[in-house]
Amino acid sequence: MPIATVNPTSGETLKTFDAFGPEEIERRVAAAADRFRHYRTTGFDERASLLNGAADLLEQDAPDIARTMTTEMGKPVAAARAEALKCVKAMRWYAQRAEDLLADEHPAEADVTDSGAAHARVHYRPLGVVLAVMPWNFPLWQVVRFAAPALMAGNVGLLKHASNVPQTALYLEDLFRRAGYPEGCFQTLLVGSGAIESVLRDPRVAAATLTGSEPAGRSVASIASDEVKKTVLELGGSDPYVVMPSADIERAARTAVTARVQNNGQSCIAAKRFIVHEDVYDTFAERFTAGMRDLTVGDPLDESTDVGPLSSEQGRADLEALVDDALERGATALCGGARPKEYERGWFYEPTVLAGVTDAMRIHREEAFGPVATLYRVGGPDEAVALANDTPFGLSSNVWTRDEEDVRRFVRDLEAGGVYFNGMTASHPALPFGGVKRSGYGRELSGHGIKEFCNVTTVWHGPEPDSGTS
């Protein structure tokens, strides 16, 4: 895949970039390793000052970088601005809290005296150079939610971004440079996917984090395992959105539209499978479908647009194949199901609701990465849980209910990294984020995320020798 900005609204290639050669890759890896030896010794105050500086610059740059993101991958420009400001929030959150999150932990003396210790503690030290392999769908947020905690912990970063967002990738390197980070702290590698293995195998690279597809995750995990290196993986999702009889159906249906089409439907944590109790199914389906049908599809640089194009021609083709397979096997499109007739150029697809989906259809098992929802009718909580868990993924989940017994049941039984009640899944700096099953492992964000790339070190002190005189 070429490293290029290709406008998904028009299909026009706007700018291409040459991939770095072996010499430049070596220079950057060496710079990262050299910088880590010094940066790891900096204090939290210095790191916080640098990260707050980057946050201030990003806040000023938000309108411009938002347009760049939209031009590169097609998200509505209002959502792109919101993404930039969310990154600002996360940077400031970690700048303020990292020292407390990584403070030494002191077990009770009574718990360690039988180890022979006078006292003991747990200390967190940075691992080193962390390689981040990041996707195009949230081209700022995915990077910052790795970089902010990693840099505050004393690590340094190498970014291999998706090849269709090179200008955003280069902006991120420049952002940290302008904020005053020393050379080597955060660098972008303009390389194709074929270069990842050699970088990851380099002994100067300590660990890796990847957000992306399951095949990409398998590849990185396999290489890192062979090299005995730590990884964090956030892969695909096919999140359930369960609606029970006690729910506020109006709110549930209105929120469901946003939950499905956020980022043009190209989000791992977007709700994708809508599992509705038969007592409220007809009402929910009518309101949800009406909301999806009323969305404005169009130029993502237009402030009034709700849904822009998919990021690539191949992405649209993959989505079409899933929908066509479902329709051929008996599903019904309550709305959408095709390309908008008014757009001959660009990679647009209509917001779509499919009913009558069965396990014989590919879309029942595979992740639909675009504005396509599948609608299911269930008879009770047992059936809802079974259907929600009938997926290889386990990233997050949404449940609408006002019944406390439902709450206990779904928290206990849903196979997911998050359960969001009466609202839609959204990542937040203070809350851990990640999945189970084929959605990956490890956690980003919160105190859990900042500790993922730390050496959790036991510090043990023996008793002082007797000071008697001879």
Side-chain angles (χ1 to χ4, degrees):
M1 181 178 182
I3 300 174
T5 297
V6 181
N7 188 340
T9 302
S10 64
E12 179 185 4
T13 298
L14 302 179
K15 195 169 185 179
T16 59
F17 297 81
D18 293 330
F20 291 167
E23 296 82 4
E24 181 62 14
I25 295 172
E26 164 58 26
R27 188 188 73 78
R28 289 177 177 244
V29 173
D34 182 65
R35 177 52 54 195
F36 173 66
R37 287 192 287 272
H38 303 281
Y39 184 69
R40 64 187 294 274
T41 66
T42 58
F44 284 105
D45 287 346
E46 182 177 347
R47 296 176 201 168
S49 178
L50 289 167
L51 191 58
N52 277 322
D56 292 343
L57 289 171
L58 179 54
E59 187 171 37
Q60 297 169 21
D61 295 346
D64 291 334
I65 189 58
R67 292 183 67 86
T68 298
M69 285 191 286
T70 296
T71 300
E72 290 201 302
M73 53 71 58
K75 71 170 70 226
V77 70
R81 284 197 305 273
E83 179 177 338
L85 296 177
K86 184 174 184 176
C87 293
V88 171
K89 176 180 178 179
M91 289 173 163
R92 290 172 177 161
W93 192 89
Y94 273 110
Q96 180 180 351
R97 294 172 174 82
E99 185 171 9
D100 290 337
L101 294 172
L102 295 179
D104 286 356
E105 298 172 9
H106 298 270
E109 286 192 18
D111 290 335
V112 297
T113 51
D114 62 355
S115 76
H119 57 92
R121 58 194 168 97
V122 178
H123 182 65
Y124 294 95
R125 295 184 288 169
L127 286 181
V129 180
V130 181
L131 171 66
V133 183
M134 293 288 109
W136 49 262
N137 56 338
F138 292 93
L140 278 185
W141 173 239
Q142 299 283 5
V143 177
V144 166
R145 75 186 195 190
F146 139 74
L151 291 168
M152 283 304 301
N155 296 296
V156 300
L158 291 172
L159 169 64
K160 189 286 179 212
H161 218 325
S163 293
N164 62 331
V165 290
Q167 293 186 69
T168 304
L170 291 170
Y171 167 81
L172 283 158
E173 178 180 299
D174 186 59
L175 172 70
F176 289 109
R177 180 192 59 77
R178 287 187 291 134
Y181 279 89
E183 181 184 359
C185 269
F186 184 94
Q187 300 172 90
T188 285
L189 299 178
L190 281 187
V191 296
S193 58
I196 294 174
E197 179 170 357
S198 62
V199 176
L200 184 50
R201 289 192 184 277
D202 192 300
R204 294 167 294 184
V205 173
T209 179
L210 176 141
T211 298
S213 68
E214 184 181 339
R218 287 178 182 275
S219 176
V220 165
S222 177
I223 296 165
S225 176
D226 190 49
E227 297 292 336
V228 196
K229 294 182 180 181
K230 173 70 178 288
T231 53
V232 170
L233 303 181
E234 193 261 280
L235 308 179
S238 190
D239 290 4
Y241 189 102
V242 179
V243 183
M244 298 299 286
S246 64
D248 180 333
I249 301 303
E250 181 62 39
R251 281 187 60 225
R254 185 170 61 250
T255 304
V257 174
T258 304
R260 184 62 202 98
V261 302
Q262 59 176 309
N263 206 44
N264 302 338
Q266 300 166 120
S267 171
C268 294
I269 59 168
K272 298 182 177 78
R273 298 176 299 130
F274 296 81
I275 300 167
V276 186
H277 193 283
E278 60 189 3
D279 290 353
V280 292
Y281 177 91
D282 290 339
T283 301
F284 177 88
E286 179 183 358
R287 294 179 183 179
F288 177 48
T289 302
M292 292 284 281
R293 188 183 293 117
D294 288 344
L295 292 167
T296 299
V297 177
D299 182 352
L301 288 173
D302 187 328
E303 296 284 348
S304 66
T305 292
D306 298 311
V307 179
L310 299 185
S311 69
S312 69
E313 189 172 17
Q314 185 61 55
R316 183 176 64 179
D318 292 343
L319 187 68
E320 285 179 316
L322 289 179
V323 173
D324 291 347
D325 172 78
L327 295 175
E328 290 168 5
R329 295 176 183 272
T332 301
L334 302 183
C335 68
R339 303 180 184 184
K341 293 183 176 60
E342 61 270 33
Y343 291 101
E344 295 182 3
R345 302 176 68 200
W347 302 311
F348 293 90
Y349 197 79
E350 294 176 339
T352 299
V353 178
L354 298 178
V357 174
T358 71
D359 60 9
M361 302 168 187
R362 288 176 54 202
I363 202 168
H364 180 76
R365 293 283 180 188
E366 299 178 32
E367 181 179 20
F369 221 57
V372 174
T374 54
L375 194 56
Y376 298 84
R377 184 195 303 262
V378 294
D382 289 346
E383 191 178 350
V385 167
L387 184 55
N389 290 340
D390 187 23
T391 172
F393 301 108
L395 193 53
S396 189
S397 59
N398 311 260
V399 180
W400 286 75
T401 182
R402 289 180 282 198
D403 184 312
E404 285 303 314
E405 181 55 36
D406 282 347
V407 171
R408 288 189 288 271
R409 172 68 189 280
F410 286 107
V411 168
R412 184 190 69 190
D413 292 342
L414 286 180
E415 298 168 353
V419 187
Y420 286 69
F421 288 96
N422 303 318
M424 58 180 274
T425 299
S427 54
H428 186 281
L431 299 173
F433 182 86
V436 296
K437 302 197 294 189
R438 292 188 182 178
S439 288
Y441 52 74
R443 291 296 180 265
E444 297 176 290
L445 302 175
S446 77
H448 296 275
I450 198 172
K451 292 172 181 174
E452 286 282 6
F453 295 115
C454 286
N455 175 356
V456 184
T457 307
T458 296
V459 181
W460 186 94
H461 294 266
E464 295 294 328
D466 292 336
S467 56
T469 58
S470 57

